[in-house]
mmCIF file of all heavy atoms in Angstrom:
data_model
loop_
_atom_site.group_PDB
_atom_site.id
_atom_site.type_symbol
_atom_site.label_atom_id
_atom_site.label_comp_id
_atom_site.label_asym_id
_atom_site.label_seq_id
_atom_site.Cartn_x
_atom_site.Cartn_y
_atom_site.Cartn_z
ATOM 1 N N ILE A 124 18.047 4.844 -3.408
ATOM 2 C CA ILE A 124 16.776 4.613 -4.087
ATOM 3 C C ILE A 124 15.931 3.713 -3.204
ATOM 4 O O ILE A 124 16.364 2.612 -2.842
ATOM 5 C CB ILE A 124 16.977 3.958 -5.468
ATOM 6 C CG1 ILE A 124 17.766 4.891 -6.395
ATOM 7 C CG2 ILE A 124 15.631 3.592 -6.099
ATOM 8 C CD1 ILE A 124 18.128 4.272 -7.737
ATOM 9 N N CYS A 125 14.753 4.205 -2.811
ATOM 10 C CA CYS A 125 13.843 3.429 -1.969
ATOM 11 C C CYS A 125 12.613 3.032 -2.776
ATOM 12 O O CYS A 125 12.036 3.872 -3.467
ATOM 13 C CB CYS A 125 13.408 4.235 -0.750
ATOM 14 S SG CYS A 125 14.713 4.495 0.450
ATOM 15 N N MET A 126 12.211 1.785 -2.664
ATOM 16 C CA MET A 126 11.018 1.294 -3.340
ATOM 17 C C MET A 126 10.002 0.841 -2.304
ATOM 18 O O MET A 126 10.301 -0.019 -1.469
ATOM 19 C CB MET A 126 11.369 0.165 -4.309
ATOM 20 C CG MET A 126 12.228 0.652 -5.456
ATOM 21 S SD MET A 126 12.393 -0.546 -6.791
ATOM 22 C CE MET A 126 13.084 0.518 -8.080
ATOM 23 N N ILE A 127 8.831 1.450 -2.354
ATOM 24 C CA ILE A 127 7.805 1.234 -1.338
ATOM 25 C C ILE A 127 6.726 0.302 -1.851
ATOM 26 O O ILE A 127 6.177 0.514 -2.936
ATOM 27 C CB ILE A 127 7.195 2.584 -0.908
ATOM 28 C CG1 ILE A 127 8.239 3.393 -0.135
ATOM 29 C CG2 ILE A 127 5.935 2.383 -0.080
ATOM 30 C CD1 ILE A 127 7.763 4.765 0.279
ATOM 31 N N ASP A 128 6.428 -0.731 -1.053
ATOM 32 C CA ASP A 128 5.363 -1.680 -1.416
ATOM 33 C C ASP A 128 4.971 -2.470 -0.174
ATOM 34 O O ASP A 128 5.419 -3.590 0.040
ATOM 35 C CB ASP A 128 5.845 -2.610 -2.531
ATOM 36 C CG ASP A 128 4.738 -3.526 -3.048
ATOM 37 O OD1 ASP A 128 3.560 -3.229 -2.786
ATOM 38 O OD2 ASP A 128 5.044 -4.528 -3.712
ATOM 39 N N THR A 129 4.133 -1.880 0.672
ATOM 40 C CA THR A 129 3.724 -2.532 1.912
ATOM 41 C C THR A 129 2.361 -2.019 2.344
ATOM 42 O O THR A 129 2.023 -0.861 2.111
ATOM 43 C CB THR A 129 4.744 -2.275 3.037
ATOM 44 O OG1 THR A 129 4.316 -2.942 4.223
ATOM 45 C CG2 THR A 129 4.884 -0.788 3.332
ATOM 46 N N GLN A 130 1.582 -2.887 2.992
ATOM 47 C CA GLN A 130 0.318 -2.436 3.566
ATOM 48 C C GLN A 130 0.541 -1.635 4.833
ATOM 49 O O GLN A 130 -0.339 -0.899 5.265
ATOM 50 C CB GLN A 130 -0.593 -3.628 3.864
ATOM 51 C CG GLN A 130 -1.266 -4.210 2.638
ATOM 52 C CD GLN A 130 -2.444 -5.103 2.993
ATOM 53 O OE1 GLN A 130 -2.516 -5.641 4.077
ATOM 54 N NE2 GLN A 130 -3.374 -5.236 2.067
ATOM 55 N N GLY A 131 1.696 -1.763 5.442
ATOM 56 C CA GLY A 131 1.984 -1.021 6.657
ATOM 57 C C GLY A 131 2.906 -1.789 7.577
ATOM 58 O O GLY A 131 3.340 -2.899 7.279
ATOM 59 N N ALA A 132 3.207 -1.180 8.709
ATOM 60 C CA ALA A 132 4.026 -1.835 9.715
ATOM 61 C C ALA A 132 3.269 -3.023 10.299
ATOM 62 O O ALA A 132 2.041 -3.022 10.380
ATOM 63 C CB ALA A 132 4.379 -0.838 10.818
ATOM 64 N N PHE A 133 4.005 -4.045 10.720
ATOM 65 C CA PHE A 133 3.372 -5.238 11.267
ATOM 66 C C PHE A 133 2.674 -4.901 12.593
ATOM 67 O O PHE A 133 3.315 -4.420 13.536
ATOM 68 C CB PHE A 133 4.412 -6.330 11.494
ATOM 69 C CG PHE A 133 3.835 -7.578 12.099
ATOM 70 C CD1 PHE A 133 2.904 -8.328 11.400
ATOM 71 C CD2 PHE A 133 4.211 -7.990 13.366
ATOM 72 C CE1 PHE A 133 2.355 -9.479 11.962
ATOM 73 C CE2 PHE A 133 3.674 -9.138 13.933
ATOM 74 C CZ PHE A 133 2.746 -9.883 13.222
ATOM 75 N N PRO A 134 1.355 -5.173 12.715
ATOM 76 C CA PRO A 134 0.612 -4.780 13.909
ATOM 77 C C PRO A 134 0.592 -5.869 14.983
ATOM 78 O O PRO A 134 -0.464 -6.252 15.490
ATOM 79 C CB PRO A 134 -0.800 -4.537 13.355
ATOM 80 C CG PRO A 134 -0.937 -5.556 12.271
ATOM 81 C CD PRO A 134 0.453 -5.706 11.667
ATOM 82 N N GLY A 135 1.751 -6.385 15.342
ATOM 83 C CA GLY A 135 1.807 -7.480 16.302
ATOM 84 C C GLY A 135 2.447 -7.064 17.610
ATOM 85 O O GLY A 135 3.225 -6.100 17.654
ATOM 86 N N PRO A 136 2.166 -7.768 18.689
ATOM 87 C CA PRO A 136 2.730 -7.400 19.998
ATOM 88 C C PRO A 136 4.248 -7.486 20.044
ATOM 89 O O PRO A 136 4.895 -6.690 20.728
ATOM 90 C CB PRO A 136 2.082 -8.408 20.963
ATOM 91 C CG PRO A 136 1.584 -9.525 20.107
ATOM 92 C CD PRO A 136 1.237 -8.908 18.792
ATOM 93 N N ASP A 137 4.839 -8.446 19.311
ATOM 94 C CA ASP A 137 6.301 -8.546 19.333
ATOM 95 C C ASP A 137 6.954 -7.327 18.707
ATOM 96 O O ASP A 137 8.006 -6.862 19.160
ATOM 97 C CB ASP A 137 6.765 -9.830 18.643
ATOM 98 C CG ASP A 137 6.286 -9.943 17.202
ATOM 99 O OD1 ASP A 137 5.236 -9.353 16.875
ATOM 100 O OD2 ASP A 137 6.955 -10.630 16.410
ATOM 101 N N ALA A 138 6.322 -6.781 17.665
ATOM 102 C CA ALA A 138 6.854 -5.573 17.037
ATOM 103 C C ALA A 138 6.767 -4.382 17.990
ATOM 104 O O ALA A 138 7.694 -3.563 18.073
ATOM 105 C CB ALA A 138 6.108 -5.281 15.745
ATOM 106 N N GLU A 139 5.649 -4.291 18.720
ATOM 107 C CA GLU A 139 5.501 -3.186 19.674
ATOM 108 C C GLU A 139 6.485 -3.340 20.836
ATOM 109 O O GLU A 139 7.049 -2.357 21.322
ATOM 110 C CB GLU A 139 4.061 -3.140 20.193
ATOM 111 C CG GLU A 139 3.010 -2.897 19.115
ATOM 112 C CD GLU A 139 3.215 -1.599 18.351
ATOM 113 O OE1 GLU A 139 3.771 -0.639 18.931
ATOM 114 O OE2 GLU A 139 2.826 -1.545 17.170
ATOM 115 N N GLU A 140 6.704 -4.561 21.269
ATOM 116 C CA GLU A 140 7.649 -4.798 22.365
ATOM 117 C C GLU A 140 9.067 -4.379 21.995
ATOM 118 O O GLU A 140 9.846 -3.958 22.865
ATOM 119 C CB GLU A 140 7.635 -6.279 22.745
ATOM 120 C CG GLU A 140 6.368 -6.724 23.463
ATOM 121 C CD GLU A 140 6.265 -8.232 23.583
ATOM 122 O OE1 GLU A 140 7.170 -8.927 23.059
ATOM 123 O OE2 GLU A 140 5.289 -8.720 24.180
ATOM 124 N N ARG A 141 9.399 -4.478 20.727
ATOM 125 C CA ARG A 141 10.760 -4.140 20.297
ATOM 126 C C ARG A 141 10.861 -2.695 19.792
ATOM 127 O O ARG A 141 11.845 -2.335 19.168
ATOM 128 C CB ARG A 141 11.220 -5.114 19.205
ATOM 129 C CG ARG A 141 11.386 -6.536 19.723
ATOM 130 C CD ARG A 141 12.246 -7.384 18.815
ATOM 131 N NE ARG A 141 11.645 -7.646 17.523
ATOM 132 C CZ ARG A 141 10.786 -8.635 17.281
ATOM 133 N NH1 ARG A 141 10.413 -9.443 18.254
ATOM 134 N NH2 ARG A 141 10.294 -8.811 16.077
ATOM 135 N N GLY A 142 9.849 -1.882 20.067
ATOM 136 C CA GLY A 142 9.977 -0.447 19.809
ATOM 137 C C GLY A 142 9.681 -0.031 18.381
ATOM 138 O O GLY A 142 10.456 0.708 17.772
ATOM 139 N N GLN A 143 8.540 -0.470 17.854
ATOM 140 C CA GLN A 143 8.218 -0.162 16.461
ATOM 141 C C GLN A 143 8.075 1.333 16.203
ATOM 142 O O GLN A 143 8.620 1.862 15.234
ATOM 143 C CB GLN A 143 6.931 -0.879 16.052
ATOM 144 C CG GLN A 143 6.512 -0.639 14.613
ATOM 145 C CD GLN A 143 5.895 -1.860 14.001
ATOM 146 O OE1 GLN A 143 6.607 -2.683 13.439
ATOM 147 N NE2 GLN A 143 4.591 -2.012 14.126
ATOM 148 N N ALA A 144 7.311 2.023 17.044
ATOM 149 C CA ALA A 144 7.094 3.455 16.826
ATOM 150 C C ALA A 144 8.410 4.224 16.870
ATOM 151 O O ALA A 144 8.654 5.129 16.053
ATOM 152 C CB ALA A 144 6.121 4.001 17.872
ATOM 153 N N GLU A 145 9.282 3.854 17.816
ATOM 154 C CA GLU A 145 10.591 4.526 17.922
ATOM 155 C C GLU A 145 11.445 4.264 16.695
ATOM 156 O O GLU A 145 12.141 5.164 16.199
ATOM 157 C CB GLU A 145 11.294 4.045 19.192
ATOM 158 C CG GLU A 145 12.623 4.723 19.480
ATOM 159 C CD GLU A 145 13.808 4.028 18.809
ATOM 160 O OE1 GLU A 145 13.661 2.871 18.359
ATOM 161 O OE2 GLU A 145 14.880 4.656 18.729
ATOM 162 N N ALA A 146 11.390 3.031 16.171
ATOM 163 C CA ALA A 146 12.196 2.697 14.997
ATOM 164 C C ALA A 146 11.747 3.488 13.777
ATOM 165 O O ALA A 146 12.581 3.986 13.005
ATOM 166 C CB ALA A 146 12.099 1.192 14.715
ATOM 167 N N ILE A 147 10.432 3.621 13.601
ATOM 168 C CA ILE A 147 9.918 4.411 12.474
ATOM 169 C C ILE A 147 10.296 5.872 12.632
ATOM 170 O O ILE A 147 10.760 6.522 11.689
ATOM 171 C CB ILE A 147 8.392 4.232 12.357
ATOM 172 C CG1 ILE A 147 8.042 2.798 11.961
ATOM 173 C CG2 ILE A 147 7.816 5.218 11.339
ATOM 174 C CD1 ILE A 147 6.561 2.486 11.981
ATOM 175 N N ALA A 148 10.106 6.405 13.838
ATOM 176 C CA ALA A 148 10.433 7.820 14.078
ATOM 177 C C ALA A 148 11.912 8.097 13.851
ATOM 178 O O ALA A 148 12.284 9.139 13.290
ATOM 179 C CB ALA A 148 10.031 8.195 15.503
ATOM 180 N N ARG A 149 12.762 7.184 14.265
ATOM 181 C CA ARG A 149 14.208 7.368 14.068
ATOM 182 C C ARG A 149 14.543 7.404 12.573
ATOM 183 O O ARG A 149 15.405 8.187 12.144
ATOM 184 C CB ARG A 149 14.972 6.248 14.773
ATOM 185 C CG ARG A 149 16.478 6.437 14.792
ATOM 186 C CD ARG A 149 17.128 5.264 15.507
ATOM 187 N NE ARG A 149 16.831 5.270 16.928
ATOM 188 C CZ ARG A 149 17.585 5.883 17.845
ATOM 189 N NH1 ARG A 149 18.677 6.543 17.470
ATOM 190 N NH2 ARG A 149 17.263 5.828 19.127
ATOM 191 N N ASN A 150 13.876 6.561 11.781
ATOM 192 C CA ASN A 150 14.103 6.584 10.336
ATOM 193 C C ASN A 150 13.689 7.921 9.735
ATOM 194 O O ASN A 150 14.375 8.473 8.861
ATOM 195 C CB ASN A 150 13.328 5.454 9.657
ATOM 196 C CG ASN A 150 14.095 4.148 9.658
ATOM 197 O OD1 ASN A 150 14.872 3.889 10.563
ATOM 198 N ND2 ASN A 150 13.871 3.320 8.654
ATOM 199 N N LEU A 151 12.533 8.439 10.158
ATOM 200 C CA LEU A 151 12.068 9.726 9.627
ATOM 201 C C LEU A 151 13.096 10.820 9.906
ATOM 202 O O LEU A 151 13.412 11.629 9.028
ATOM 203 C CB LEU A 151 10.721 10.103 10.249
ATOM 204 C CG LEU A 151 9.563 9.125 10.072
ATOM 205 C CD1 LEU A 151 8.292 9.696 10.690
ATOM 206 C CD2 LEU A 151 9.334 8.796 8.606
ATOM 207 N N ARG A 152 13.594 10.857 11.125
ATOM 208 C CA ARG A 152 14.582 11.879 11.495
ATOM 209 C C ARG A 152 15.872 11.705 10.698
ATOM 210 O O ARG A 152 16.436 12.682 10.182
ATOM 211 C CB ARG A 152 14.871 11.807 12.997
ATOM 212 C CG ARG A 152 15.833 12.883 13.482
ATOM 213 C CD ARG A 152 16.068 12.792 14.969
ATOM 214 N NE ARG A 152 16.798 11.574 15.324
ATOM 215 C CZ ARG A 152 17.121 11.259 16.584
ATOM 216 N NH1 ARG A 152 16.755 12.038 17.590
ATOM 217 N NH2 ARG A 152 17.794 10.153 16.832
ATOM 218 N N ALA A 153 16.327 10.465 10.590
ATOM 219 C CA ALA A 153 17.593 10.223 9.897
ATOM 220 C C ALA A 153 17.496 10.519 8.412
ATOM 221 O O ALA A 153 18.408 11.129 7.827
ATOM 222 C CB ALA A 153 18.031 8.774 10.132
ATOM 223 N N MET A 154 16.392 10.093 7.763
ATOM 224 C CA MET A 154 16.259 10.335 6.328
ATOM 225 C C MET A 154 16.164 11.824 6.024
ATOM 226 O O MET A 154 16.672 12.292 4.997
ATOM 227 C CB MET A 154 15.038 9.610 5.773
ATOM 228 C CG MET A 154 15.140 8.098 5.765
ATOM 229 S SD MET A 154 13.813 7.302 4.825
ATOM 230 C CE MET A 154 14.425 7.535 3.138
ATOM 231 N N ALA A 155 15.524 12.573 6.901
ATOM 232 C CA ALA A 155 15.416 14.012 6.683
ATOM 233 C C ALA A 155 16.778 14.689 6.712
ATOM 234 O O ALA A 155 16.967 15.748 6.094
ATOM 235 C CB ALA A 155 14.501 14.625 7.740
ATOM 236 N N ALA A 156 17.735 14.096 7.410
ATOM 237 C CA ALA A 156 19.041 14.721 7.581
ATOM 238 C C ALA A 156 20.119 14.157 6.669
ATOM 239 O O ALA A 156 21.264 14.617 6.723
ATOM 240 C CB ALA A 156 19.481 14.577 9.037
ATOM 241 N N LEU A 157 19.803 13.189 5.835
ATOM 242 C CA LEU A 157 20.816 12.585 4.972
ATOM 243 C C LEU A 157 21.448 13.620 4.035
ATOM 244 O O LEU A 157 20.769 14.508 3.517
ATOM 245 C CB LEU A 157 20.198 11.452 4.148
ATOM 246 C CG LEU A 157 19.852 10.167 4.907
ATOM 247 C CD1 LEU A 157 19.021 9.234 4.033
ATOM 248 C CD2 LEU A 157 21.101 9.463 5.399
ATOM 249 N N ARG A 158 22.745 13.453 3.795
ATOM 250 C CA ARG A 158 23.476 14.383 2.924
ATOM 251 C C ARG A 158 23.726 13.806 1.538
ATOM 252 O O ARG A 158 24.617 14.263 0.830
ATOM 253 C CB ARG A 158 24.811 14.766 3.585
ATOM 254 C CG ARG A 158 24.650 15.511 4.893
ATOM 255 C CD ARG A 158 25.993 15.860 5.498
ATOM 256 N NE ARG A 158 25.844 16.559 6.763
ATOM 257 C CZ ARG A 158 25.689 17.873 6.878
ATOM 258 N NH1 ARG A 158 25.676 18.633 5.803
ATOM 259 N NH2 ARG A 158 25.563 18.430 8.077
ATOM 260 N N VAL A 159 22.961 12.783 1.178
ATOM 261 C CA VAL A 159 23.052 12.206 -0.169
ATOM 262 C C VAL A 159 21.664 12.259 -0.797
ATOM 263 O O VAL A 159 20.656 12.320 -0.086
ATOM 264 C CB VAL A 159 23.571 10.756 -0.135
ATOM 265 C CG1 VAL A 159 25.016 10.706 0.311
ATOM 266 C CG2 VAL A 159 22.695 9.888 0.752
ATOM 267 N N PRO A 160 21.577 12.261 -2.132
ATOM 268 C CA PRO A 160 20.265 12.278 -2.792
ATOM 269 C C PRO A 160 19.448 11.039 -2.442
ATOM 270 O O PRO A 160 19.983 9.932 -2.358
ATOM 271 C CB PRO A 160 20.610 12.300 -4.278
ATOM 272 C CG PRO A 160 22.003 12.826 -4.349
ATOM 273 C CD PRO A 160 22.683 12.335 -3.110
ATOM 274 N N VAL A 161 18.151 11.242 -2.232
ATOM 275 C CA VAL A 161 17.233 10.143 -1.928
ATOM 276 C C VAL A 161 16.045 10.234 -2.876
ATOM 277 O O VAL A 161 15.329 11.240 -2.891
ATOM 278 C CB VAL A 161 16.728 10.198 -0.476
ATOM 279 C CG1 VAL A 161 15.820 8.988 -0.189
ATOM 280 C CG2 VAL A 161 17.878 10.245 0.518
ATOM 281 N N VAL A 162 15.846 9.186 -3.685
ATOM 282 C CA VAL A 162 14.683 9.103 -4.571
ATOM 283 C C VAL A 162 13.817 7.956 -4.095
ATOM 284 O O VAL A 162 14.284 6.822 -3.948
ATOM 285 C CB VAL A 162 15.102 8.880 -6.043
ATOM 286 C CG1 VAL A 162 13.860 8.738 -6.930
ATOM 287 C CG2 VAL A 162 15.969 10.028 -6.530
ATOM 288 N N VAL A 163 12.561 8.259 -3.837
ATOM 289 C CA VAL A 163 11.597 7.265 -3.362
ATOM 290 C C VAL A 163 10.623 6.957 -4.495
ATOM 291 O O VAL A 163 10.143 7.879 -5.161
ATOM 292 C CB VAL A 163 10.823 7.794 -2.139
ATOM 293 C CG1 VAL A 163 9.737 6.809 -1.719
ATOM 294 C CG2 VAL A 163 11.781 8.073 -0.990
ATOM 295 N N CYS A 164 10.328 5.696 -4.717
ATOM 296 C CA CYS A 164 9.360 5.310 -5.748
ATOM 297 C C CYS A 164 8.351 4.332 -5.144
ATOM 298 O O CYS A 164 8.731 3.264 -4.652
ATOM 299 C CB CYS A 164 10.066 4.657 -6.940
ATOM 300 S SG CYS A 164 8.957 4.313 -8.325
ATOM 301 N N VAL A 165 7.071 4.716 -5.144
ATOM 302 C CA VAL A 165 6.008 3.832 -4.675
ATOM 303 C C VAL A 165 5.648 2.915 -5.842
ATOM 304 O O VAL A 165 5.045 3.351 -6.825
ATOM 305 C CB VAL A 165 4.777 4.625 -4.203
ATOM 306 C CG1 VAL A 165 3.729 3.682 -3.625
ATOM 307 C CG2 VAL A 165 5.168 5.682 -3.181
ATOM 308 N N ILE A 166 6.034 1.643 -5.742
ATOM 309 C CA ILE A 166 5.856 0.720 -6.861
ATOM 310 C C ILE A 166 4.581 -0.099 -6.738
ATOM 311 O O ILE A 166 4.148 -0.729 -7.703
ATOM 312 C CB ILE A 166 7.065 -0.225 -7.008
ATOM 313 C CG1 ILE A 166 7.281 -1.024 -5.714
ATOM 314 C CG2 ILE A 166 8.320 0.570 -7.372
ATOM 315 C CD1 ILE A 166 8.368 -2.082 -5.821
ATOM 316 N N GLY A 167 3.991 -0.110 -5.539
ATOM 317 C CA GLY A 167 2.767 -0.880 -5.325
ATOM 318 C C GLY A 167 1.880 -0.171 -4.339
ATOM 319 O O GLY A 167 1.365 0.906 -4.604
#
């Protein structure tokens, strides 16, 4: 169960230095392939 409540990814240089775009993309790929039920709820 995922609960979403954020304005977005942190737009700072330290986040970009540590591979923010790659981390988000990896999550998208992994979540698409999960073999368990996933329910997402946007709470804010």
Side-chain angles (χ1 to χ4, degrees):
I124 297 174
C125 290
M126 294 192 166
I127 291 177
D128 186 17
T129 181
Q130 283 197 336
F133 178 64
D137 58 333
E139 299 301 331
E140 289 169 358
R141 293 199 293 275
Q143 181 144 271
E145 184 272 345
I147 293 173
R149 188 180 291 270
N150 275 30
L151 302 183
R152 183 179 67 180
M154 292 191 79
L157 288 170
R158 297 180 181 274
V159 292
V161 183
V162 178
V163 175
C164 186
V165 184
I166 58 174

